Amino acid sequence: MPNGYQFRLQSILDLVAVLVALALLFLFFFRKKSVKLLCIYVAVFLVFVGILLFDGFYSVPVAKGIAYALMFFMIASLVVVYQSDFKIMFFNLTKSAEKVGDDDLTDEDMRHAVDEIIKACQTMSKARTGALIVIAPTAVAPHILETGVEMNALVSSQLLESIFNTRAPVHDGAVIVRGNRVLAAGCFLPLSQSQNVSKNLGTRHRAGIGITEESDMLTIIVSEETGIISIAKRGELRRFVTPDRLRDILHETLKISQPSRHRAL
C-alpha cells in the first residue's frame, strides 16, 4: 500500500474519530440542556486545537504542555460533575440482561400498591409533608439503592407516611418503589442540571426530575411548602396532578391492565 494512501486513510480515520467524539459530546450536553457549559468546552477544545496547529509550525512546548494539562482538567471535571449520569448511563446499557423479579405479581397486587401510594400522597399533600417517591418499572441501579436504607417492605400508605415524617431520619431522601415493595428509603438522587427547571423549585423537585432524565423511572413529588403533587417523567415535570390522573399515569407506567381516561404524560 503506498505511503500517501496510508497517510490519507489514517487522516480520515482520525477526523472521523474526532467528529464522533464531538457529536457524542454535543448530544450529551443537549440532553442535559447545559448549552452554556457546552460552549465553554467547545471554546477550550478550539484553543487546544489552535495551540497544536501553532506548535506544528513554531515549536511552543510550554504552551503545548499547558494546553494538554487544561484539556485533561476539563475531561476530569466533566467526569466529576456528571459522575451520577455516567453511572446511570452504564447501568442502562447493561440492565436489559437483568431480571426484574416482579413477574409473579398480579394486576390486583399492583393496583393495591398504586392505591396505597395515592392514599399516602393525598394525606401528605393535605398535611404539607414533603415527599419524593421513585417508581421503578424495571431494575434499579445499585448505586442508587446504596445511598439509602434497605427496606424491602410491602408498600402501604402508613409506611410511606412514616418514612416522610419530618421526625424520621430518612425523610429528606427518596423512597424507591418497584412492584409492590419499598426497596429503600432515604436515597440520594442526581440533581437535574436543566436550565428549564424553575428557580422556585427546590432540591426535592430537581432530584425528582434528574433521575428521570437518564432512566425510565417516574417520580412523585409532594411539596412541603404548598402540598402540590407533581410527577416527573422523561425529564419533564407536571404539577397539580390529581389523584385520578396520578392513578392513570401509574397504571400506564406499570402496565396495569386498566383503561386510562386521559392521555399519557
Side-chain angles (χ1 to χ4, degrees):
M1 180 180 295
N3 291 335
Y5 177 79
Q6 185 176 5
F7 176 77
R8 287 195 300 271
L9 180 61
Q10 183 179 357
S11 300
I12 292 174
L13 292 176
D14 285 345
L15 180 60
V16 170
V18 171
L19 291 176
V20 169
L22 288 176
L24 292 175
L25 187 64
F26 271 80
L27 180 63
F28 176 79
F29 279 110
F30 274 115
R31 289 190 64 184
K32 298 302 297 179
K33 299 179 181 178
S34 303
V35 179
K36 293 182 180 178
L37 193 57
L38 173 62
C39 293
I40 295 175
Y41 274 89
V42 170
V44 171
F45 179 77
L46 292 177
V47 171
F48 174 74
V49 172
I51 292 176
L52 291 185
L53 292 175
F54 189 78
D55 182 67
F57 295 98
Y58 308 97
S59 180
V60 284
V62 176
K64 184 178 179 181
I66 294 175
Y68 273 111
L70 181 61
M71 202 63 186
F72 175 79
F73 172 78
M74 296 299 288
I75 294 174
S77 65
L78 177 68
V79 174
V80 171
V81 172
Y82 293 105
Q83 57 178 319
S84 297
D85 300 281
F86 285 121
K87 287 180 180 179
I88 293 173
M89 180 180 66
F90 286 122
F91 171 72
N92 288 335
L93 291 175
T94 59
K95 73 174 183 179
S96 57
E98 299 182 16
K99 294 182 66 177
V100 178
D102 298 329
D103 296 336
D104 56 338
L105 294 178
T106 65
D107 282 351
E108 190 59 37
D109 294 330
M110 298 300 294
R111 287 194 193 96
H112 178 72
V114 168
D115 289 342
E116 290 295 308
I117 293 172
I118 294 173
K119 182 180 178 182
C121 289
Q122 287 180 288
T123 301
M124 291 186 290
S125 175
K126 292 177 181 178
R128 302 285 180 88
T129 300
L132 177 54
I133 304 173
V134 178
I135 308 297
T138 55
V140 184
H143 72 271
I144 296 293
L145 296 175
E146 289 169 359
T147 62
V149 178
E150 182 180 355
M151 301 194 72
N152 196 26
L154 284 173
V155 174
S156 70
S157 58
Q158 294 89 346
L159 175 62
L160 293 174
E161 291 167 29
S162 63
I163 289 174
F164 290 110
N165 187 299
T166 53
R167 296 180 181 178
V170 293
H171 76 277
D172 278 334
V175 162
I176 311 296
V177 176
R178 190 182 70 192
N180 66 343
R181 306 193 75 82
V182 174
L183 299 184
C187 297
F188 293 98
L189 308 179
L191 301 181
S192 172
Q193 303 298 321
S194 173
Q195 301 299 320
N196 296 329
V197 178
S198 173
K199 303 293 184 182
N200 297 326
L201 299 178
T203 304
R204 180 176 286 114
H205 286 80
R206 281 195 170 271
I209 298 171
I211 192 64
T212 69
E213 291 176 337
E214 300 293 341
S215 70
D216 59 354
M217 296 182 187
L218 175 146
T219 58
I220 306 170
I221 308 111
V222 180
S223 172
E224 62 182 334
E225 289 83 11
T226 63
I228 295 172
I229 299 176
S230 305
I231 280 185
K233 188 175 183 180
R234 295 192 292 270
E236 297 181 3
L237 183 71
R238 175 166 296 186
R239 307 188 70 195
F240 301 99
V241 178
T242 64
D244 287 338
R245 182 70 178 116
L246 178 58
R247 180 176 288 103
D248 286 342
I249 294 172
L250 289 176
H251 282 180
E252 182 177 358
T253 300
L254 299 173
K255 295 180 172 56
I256 301 174
S257 59
Q258 177 166 318
S260 176
R261 299 186 301 276
H262 307 280
R263 291 188 305 170
L265 177 66

